[in-house]
Amino acid sequence: MNMKVKLGNIILQNPIMTASGTFGYGDEFKELVDLNRIGGICVKGTTLEERQGNPTPRILETPGGMLNAIGFQNVGIDRFKKEKYSFLKELKAKTFVNITANTIEEFGILANKLNDIEIGGIEINISCPNIKAGGINMGTDPDMAFKVVKEVKKNTKHHVMVKLTPNVTDIKVIAKAVEDAGADSISLINTLVGMAVDIKTRKPKIKNIIAGLSGPAIKPVALRLVWEVAKTVKIPIVGMGGISNFEDVLEFLIVGATAVQIGTANFYNPRVTMDILDGLEKYMKENEIKDINEIVGSFKI
């Protein structure tokens, strides 16, 4: 039974990855999860300098989901390489370093700083505002998204995955722009923009007011966007958004994703990746599927 999938020039031992910001740097889960069974780990969003993130409260449970406005709390690129990489490099799971920056040039610097270590790839998070351009969200502007990917490709030897935001009028336009710029794969979706209000104080429940919604509530939206993008681009797609069991994974693979990332479910079931792998293997045996790639893009209308 083959569980291996190919993302461009990268082979994952199976299609199950963890989403950035929901799995720390991997070592936080080592007592609960067999990290060598996972296909890939996307580490926390990494910036040039260490960040403390936004003030609290910055996480809120919602019906079927979670709002968060962490604000890219992370150790910074230099401490990541010095303190976190040595653990990750010993794992069979491929490491993907999620990077985010305030300018296009900063993305290039970050990518260049990763050239001296062996990783599965870089995941570009373009959901952040370009401060130099007046705070325009890079992931909502196809021209800016194109330029970010070009800059990273110019500065890296690694596989480049681009994580798309769903908060746009037409995600297909952004997907095509990053493919044209040379992206090796696309991951989607990032969180949907939301907010919550305390009716007693009439104040926002999240200090930052605006936050990102994730969890099972967004799965139907994510599934639809993955399907639309799969029909638009030729590069591999990594689907995510509310995946919490192996049936969810199958849905994403059927509509065209080559692999998936598990996010919010890690918070309420730290062993969800193991449960999903067990479920997938059982499903394949019961249905006599010898290669998981047979499922990818098998959607029928």
Side-chain angles (χ1 to χ4, degrees), residues 33-97:
V33 174
D34 181 357
L35 298 171
N36 284 313
R37 284 190 68 194
I38 301 173
I41 295 173
C42 290
V43 303
K44 288 172 69 69
T46 303
T47 52
L48 268 181
E49 307 294 338
E50 182 174 347
R51 288 192 190 179
Q52 298 304 311
N54 291 326
T56 59
R58 56 189 189 182
I59 293 179
L60 177 74
E61 189 172 346
T62 63
M66 183 183 83
L67 282 168
N68 92 83
I70 302 298
F72 294 110
Q73 178 188 17
N74 77 99
V75 299
I77 188 73
D78 293 330
R79 278 188 60 198
F80 165 77
K81 290 168 63 178
K82 188 176 179 182
E83 300 172 14
K84 306 296 181 183
Y85 173 65
S86 60
F87 174 80
L88 290 161
K89 75 176 183 180
E90 300 299 328
L91 301 176
K92 290 181 181 175
K94 300 282 187 186
T95 297
F96 287 77
V97 182

Side-chain angles (χ1 to χ4, degrees), residues 83-139:
E83 300 172 14
K84 306 296 181 183
Y85 173 65
S86 60
F87 174 80
L88 290 161
K89 75 176 183 180
E90 300 299 328
L91 301 176
K92 290 181 181 175
K94 300 282 187 186
T95 297
F96 287 77
V97 182
N98 182 292
I99 61 171
T100 191
N102 290 327
T103 66
I104 292 170
E105 293 75 18
E106 273 185 23
F107 272 106
I109 296 169
L110 275 162
N112 190 270
K113 278 179 169 282
L114 291 167
N115 278 334
D116 60 349
I117 59 174
E118 289 304 317
I119 55 176
I122 291 170
E123 182 180 53
I124 305 176
N125 184 340
I126 50 174
S127 297
C128 43
N130 185 334
I131 302 303
K132 194 193 280 187
I136 298 169
N137 190 321
M138 298 188 210

Side-chain angles (χ1 to χ4, degrees), residues 182-289:
D184 298 295
S185 62
I186 291 173
S187 58
L188 70 150
I189 61 173
N190 208 324
T191 55
L192 289 156
V193 176
M195 63 184 291
V197 177
D198 186 321
I199 60 170
K200 291 181 181 176
T201 63
R202 302 186 184 184
K203 291 183 176 179
K205 288 186 175 179
I206 296 282
K207 188 74 173 178
N208 192 56
I209 303 177
I210 301 296
L213 179 66
S214 60
I218 74 168
K219 198 198 88 177
V221 177
L223 198 62
R224 187 263 298 179
L225 292 173
V226 166
W227 176 57
E228 289 187 344
V229 171
K231 292 189 298 178
T232 303
V233 300
K234 293 183 174 63
I235 54 178
I237 293 169
V238 178
M240 78 188 96
I243 297 174
S244 60
N245 52 53
F246 81 92
E247 291 95 335
D248 292 339
V249 173
L250 288 168
E251 285 192 67
F252 277 85
L253 297 183
I254 288 168
V255 299
T258 299
V260 297
Q261 291 182 13
I262 314 300
T264 303
N266 288 303
F267 293 126
Y268 57 85
N269 177 11
R271 286 187 48 80
V272 66
T273 47
M274 301 294 98
D275 293 345
I276 286 174
L277 281 166
D278 290 343
L280 273 182
E281 289 172 0
K282 187 169 181 284
Y283 172 86
M284 289 176 67
K285 284 177 186 171
E286 288 177 350
N287 290 277
E288 298 180 346
I289 297 171

Side-chain angles (χ1 to χ4, degrees), residues 157-177:
K157 65 175 186 178
H158 295 303
H159 178 105
V160 174
M161 180 187 300
V162 187
K163 187 172 183 175
L164 302 186
T165 174
N167 303 303
V168 293
T169 305
D170 187 351
I171 199 169
K172 300 189 296 295
V173 175
I174 309 294
K176 192 71 177 69

